[in-house]
Amino acid sequence: MKKGTVVIIGAGIAGLSTAYYLVNQGWNVQIIEQNTLDNNCSYGNAGMIVPSHFTPMASPGMISQGIRWMFDKKSPFYVRPSLNFNLMDWGFKFMRYANKNHVSAHVEPLRDLNVYSSQLYDSLSQDSAFNFELEQNGIMMLYKTKSVEYEEKELAKRAQELGLDVEIKTAEEMQALESGVKIDILGGILYKCDGKLNPMKLMKQLVSYLKSRGVIFHEQTKVKGYNILGNKIKEIVTDKGNYAGDEFVLCPGSYLMELTNKLHLKLPLMPGKGYSFMYTPPTHVKLEHAALLLEAKVAVTPMDGKIRFGGTMELGSPNNKIYKNRVEGIVNSIPKYLKNLSVDYPKQDIWYGYRPCPPDGLPYLGRTSKYDNVTIAAGGGMMGLSLGPAMGKSISDILSNRKIETNISVFSPDRFG
């Protein structure tokens, strides 16, 4: 029995996950996507499932580190100079939240949402319709400096206190995990609680599954506004017609503010541009685990017989440019950690996308009190793929009046007023 019609804006991992759980609970689902189904941030990311990321991006030390990085165009973090009001407002809010109290108040909700999402990925992988290279074998955090060693060991101890499966290892112990790659590091942390998958396969399989269950996709369809009656949206107005529904879910990634401004909702967010590319290693080189090269902030993920490298966080107005120095920063960092990987600057197929980053480093998840039929699942930032299933399942539970498995109150879309 169909429960009604849900219109979802956005076909990234949050939107597709929401559709997956809703259609399996009996809802009629339509998805509006302003791009094509193979062109969003969920396809080109590092494919990491990260309960290890239990601290929000707005944390102590990020401001001073960010200021140092701003003067290096190849650095992991860069703010492109601009008089953009949204960027300045975002920056002031970020500074307000980058403190110990903010981090302490949110480590457990972030841990719980990530762990829950990891469990949902396990369940999804048991469905015969899916085979997206899920491996829950851990992620290696590799560091080369004493200062990062101290920070990471303290973080690992906190993770252990939070009940996560984490091991602090010497350089020799980390090397023992990877016989096919020569690692040059001071030491590392193995977050055994983490995992990885192939995001391209996952997204394509989700789309195929949803189409087989009757979900209707409206690609290359841009939202222009809303027809509202009282406290309810009645229709989404697009450049290809209007779409009516009983419930509306906003999962538009970095386009969130563009859509919520039209509803007079305050959900500050900046797009954080990141790059990735695929590398085919020599036959004698094989990487078993995903890894983060910590000082460089570069993600390394074995994927479909290749390796995906990704990184950088570039805040500023969106554009279609590939800045060579940003990609060079990734390429140049690789042999500093992985000695026998000779990676040249990629001549083609450099991917870029925009991570949706709220200024407090927390996702937006739940109903907004200003409308009776609007829920939001967006703003996962660098945890977007990791949090996708938990965000989608939470939204479907809200709409179906079921118990939500984790405490999502701190992620309220109303928290900025």
Side-chain angles (χ1 to χ4, degrees), residues 14 250-254 256 267 269 356 358 362-365 376-381 391:
L250 307 187
C251 309
S254 60
L256 180 68
L267 282 81
L269 179 142
L362 305 174
Y364 295 114
L365 180 60
I376 295 171
M391 294 175 81

Side-chain angles (χ1 to χ4, degrees), residues 54 60 69 74 129 149 176 193 264 275 298 351 365 383 387 389 396:
F54 54 84
W69 278 335
K74 294 184 180 181
E149 176 183 42
C193 54
H264 306 290
Y275 298 91
V298 168
W351 178 93
L365 180 60
M383 299 178 289
L387 293 176
S396 70

Side-chain angles (χ1 to χ4, degrees), residues 75-91:
S75 68
F77 178 82
Y78 184 65
V79 180
R80 194 156 294 282
S82 170
L83 294 177
N84 183 323
F85 171 79
N86 289 332
L87 176 59
M88 291 187 285
D89 180 64
W90 187 95

